[in-house]
């Protein structure tokens, strides 16, 4: 099938992009970033935008930089930019270890970090990273810019707090302390498929005890989120099998898993338990960051 007819706009400045989006958004005008989610759904006519605002010609949206204590990722930064460590320290390593789980290489060379956040597929690895690390999203329109915390940004399956005339111009990830340990684990039936569940954990040790624990779960519920009960099971404890099992059980008990014709809620809950435990084991096995 071919996409339904649409008008194509190719702004070269942010000002022009925002003005075009403001004009066409009420007529289902949409942003085109990497096109790796939008183009397939247009080809199946599951989406029929009347206008596409292609942001790939806006040079300032291609920037990635460290500003104060955050890695700022512009709207046109592609997944493949994270093959190399985007910054020194654990955050760069974390992003480089997660990126290879996103689809396949050709998708990673076109798809964008911010496009994934805007699309908000529950099984997006970058959405899980954003939720677990408490990222900030900058949504900009001709009315101005606002910063939205990850916990308020993801509203449900492919739904975010972004208004239709807002461009997600930037995502900001906090740099992680140099002794942060992290582990990521996901399960999909075939390599490159969207995951059925995934877990990302991070913590530090002080006097042998876990501090600042973060446990995030994705693909299991309509939106990725931190699991406070699992974090409470870790805080102040010494890393080890018993503590990791307790945190994994807390994760599994806390989620309200999605169900579909292939995957029951019970199966997803069981995946959440296993993946949380494995992510914690990976974090413990990883060398503390130098
Ligand atoms: C076969 C296949 C397998 C895949 N596997 C995975 C996977 O395992 N994990 C995963 O996370 N993803 C996967 N993807 C999706 C891929 O990562 C996409 O790149 C990503 O979801 C969207 O990014 P994009 O830049 O391509 O956005 P686009 O496809 O261009 O846009 C997606 C949506 O977001 C909106 N949008 C995009 N950027 C912005 C912005 N800056 N501001 C406002 N709105 C915006 C668009 O209007 C559109 O509605 C897969 C895709 C394919 C085709």
């Amino acid at each position: 099938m071919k996409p339904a007819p649409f008008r194509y706009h190719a702004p070269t400045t942010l000002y022009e992009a925002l003005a075009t989006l403001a004009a066409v958004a009420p007529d289902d005008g949409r942003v085109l970033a990497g096109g790796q989610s939008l183009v397939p759904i247009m080809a199946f006519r599951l989406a029929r935008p009347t206008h596409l605002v292609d942001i790939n010609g806006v040079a300032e949206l291609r920037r990635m930089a460290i500003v104060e204590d955050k890695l700022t990722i512009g709207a046109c930064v592609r997944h493949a930019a994270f093959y190399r460590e985007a910054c020194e320290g654990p955050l760069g390593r974390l992003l480089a270890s997660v990126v290879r789980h996103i689809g396949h290489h050709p998708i990673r060379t076109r798809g964008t970090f911010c496009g994934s956040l805007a699309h908000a597929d529950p099984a997006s690895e970058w959405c899980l990273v954003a939720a677990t690390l408490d990222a900030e999203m900058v949504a900009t329109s001709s009315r101005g810019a606002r910063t939205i915390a990850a916990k308020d940004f993801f509203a449900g399956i492919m739904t975010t707090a972004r208004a239709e005339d807002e461009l997600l111009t930037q995502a900001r990830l906090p740099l992680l302390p140099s002794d942060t340990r992290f582990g990521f684990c996901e399960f999909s039936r075939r390599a490159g498929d969207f995951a059925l569940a995934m877990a990302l954990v991070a913590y530090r040790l002080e006097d042998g005890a876990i501090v600042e624990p973060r446990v995030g779960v994705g693909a299991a519920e309509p939106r990725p989120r931190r699991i406070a009960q699992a974090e409470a099971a870790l805080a102040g404890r010494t890393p080890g099998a018993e503590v990791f099992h307790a945190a994994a059980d807390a994760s599994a008990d806390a989620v309200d898993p999605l169900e579909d014709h292939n995957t029951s809620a019970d199966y997803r809950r069981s995946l959440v338990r296993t993946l949380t435990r494995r992510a914690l084991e990976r974090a413990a096995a990883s060398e503390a960051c130098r």
Side-chain angles (χ1 to χ4, degrees), residues 6-12 16-17 19-21 23-25 27 29-32 50-58:
F6 59 87
R7 274 197 64 193
Y8 175 78
H9 306 265
T12 54
E16 203 189 333
T20 311
L21 193 57
V24 303
D27 291 332
R30 299 230 202 147
V31 174
L32 176 69
T50 49
H51 296 262
L52 288 188
V53 183
D54 183 347
I55 57 172
N56 288 279
V58 182

Side-chain angles (χ1 to χ4, degrees), residues 237-247:
R237 311 289 300 275
T238 306
E242 197 182 323
V243 170
F244 291 169
H245 273 100

Side-chain angles (χ1 to χ4, degrees), residues 30-38 40 55 75 79 101-103 107 111-112 114-116 118-119 123-125 162 166-168 192-194:
R30 299 230 202 147
V31 174
L32 176 69
Q36 298 303 298
S37 294
L38 184 56
I55 57 172
H79 305 320
H101 295 276
I102 301 174
I107 290 154
T112 63
C114 288
S116 286
H119 190 57
S124 154
E125 285 81 0
R162 186 184 66 83
E166 284 179 323
L167 180 64
L168 182 57
D193 279 3
F194 281 97

Side-chain angles (χ1 to χ4, degrees), residues 223-241:
R223 61 193 183 99
R225 65 180 175 105
R226 288 176 71 175
I227 307 292
Q229 296 88 331
E231 293 175 356
L234 295 169
R237 311 289 300 275
T238 306

Side-chain angles (χ1 to χ4, degrees), residues 244-284:
F244 291 169
H245 273 100
D249 285 345
S251 266
D253 290 347
V255 293
D256 183 10
L258 292 164
E259 223 169 356
D260 56 50
H261 59 285
N262 275 328
T263 313
S264 69
D266 281 349
Y267 180 55
R268 268 212 171 82
R269 191 186 302 285
S270 161
L271 282 176
V272 167
R273 178 178 289 109
T274 303
L275 296 170
T276 304
R277 179 178 50 75
R278 287 187 187 163
L280 285 163
E281 289 166 354
R282 282 182 190 177

Side-chain angles (χ1 to χ4, degrees), residues 9-285:
H9 306 265
T12 54
T13 64
L14 181 57
Y15 177 84
E16 203 189 333
L18 296 177
T20 311
L21 193 57
V24 303
D27 291 332
D28 197 18
R30 299 230 202 147
V31 174
L32 176 69
Q36 298 303 298
S37 294
L38 184 56
V39 172
I41 60 176
M42 286 174 63
F44 284 118
R45 299 210 175 187
L46 295 170
R48 294 165 176 248
T50 49
H51 296 262
L52 288 188
V53 183
D54 183 347
I55 57 172
N56 288 279
V58 182
E60 69 187 89
L61 296 177
R62 287 179 218 137
R63 280 188 214 130
M64 177 153 61
I66 293 171
V67 180
E68 294 168 358
D69 55 351
K70 294 193 170 68
L71 178 67
T72 63
I73 302 165
C76 292
V77 173
R78 309 207 186 269
H79 305 320
F82 299 93
Y83 284 162
R84 285 190 184 175
E85 291 171 18
C87 54
E88 281 184 13
L91 180 63
R93 285 198 290 280
L94 185 157
L95 297 170
S97 74
V98 170
V99 67
R100 61 192 175 84
H101 295 276
I102 301 174
H104 307 274
H105 175 70
I107 290 154
R108 296 177 211 139
T109 62
R110 288 299 302 170
T112 63
F113 188 97
C114 288
S116 286
L117 303 185
H119 190 57
D121 189 306
S124 154
E125 285 81 0
W126 290 147
C127 293
L128 175 62
V129 167
T132 308
L133 301 186
D134 292 323
E136 292 172 350
M137 322 319 173
V138 181
T140 311
S141 70
S142 48
R143 292 170 287 124
R146 63 187 178 120
T147 302
I148 309 170
K151 67 177 175 38
D152 302 320
F153 185 78
F154 300 112
I157 298 175
M158 291 168 183
T159 312
T160 71
R162 186 184 66 83
E164 57 182 13
D165 67 335
E166 284 179 323
L167 180 64
L168 182 57
T169 42
Q170 199 178 79
R172 298 177 183 153
L173 296 176
L175 299 178
L176 298 172
S178 61
D179 58 347
T180 304
R181 293 156 188 256
F182 66 84
F184 173 76
C185 202
E186 71 169 41
F187 179 79
S188 54
R189 290 209 167 88
R190 297 177 310 182
D193 279 3
F194 281 97
L196 300 182
M198 56 178 88
L200 173 64
V201 306
Y203 64 81
R204 294 177 46 248
L205 291 180
E206 269 179 21
D207 300 327
I210 294 174
V211 292
E212 297 166 22
R214 293 175 180 273
V215 177
V217 167
E221 297 180 300
R223 61 193 183 99
R225 65 180 175 105
R226 288 176 71 175
I227 307 292
Q229 296 88 331
E231 293 175 356
L234 295 169
R237 311 289 300 275
T238 306
E242 197 182 323
V243 170
F244 291 169
H245 273 100
D249 285 345
S251 266
D253 290 347
V255 293
D256 183 10
L258 292 164
E259 223 169 356
D260 56 50
H261 59 285
N262 275 328
T263 313
S264 69
D266 281 349
Y267 180 55
R268 268 212 171 82
R269 191 186 302 285
S270 161
L271 282 176
V272 167
R273 178 178 289 109
T274 303
L275 296 170
T276 304
R277 179 178 50 75
R278 287 187 187 163
L280 285 163
E281 289 166 354
R282 282 182 190 177

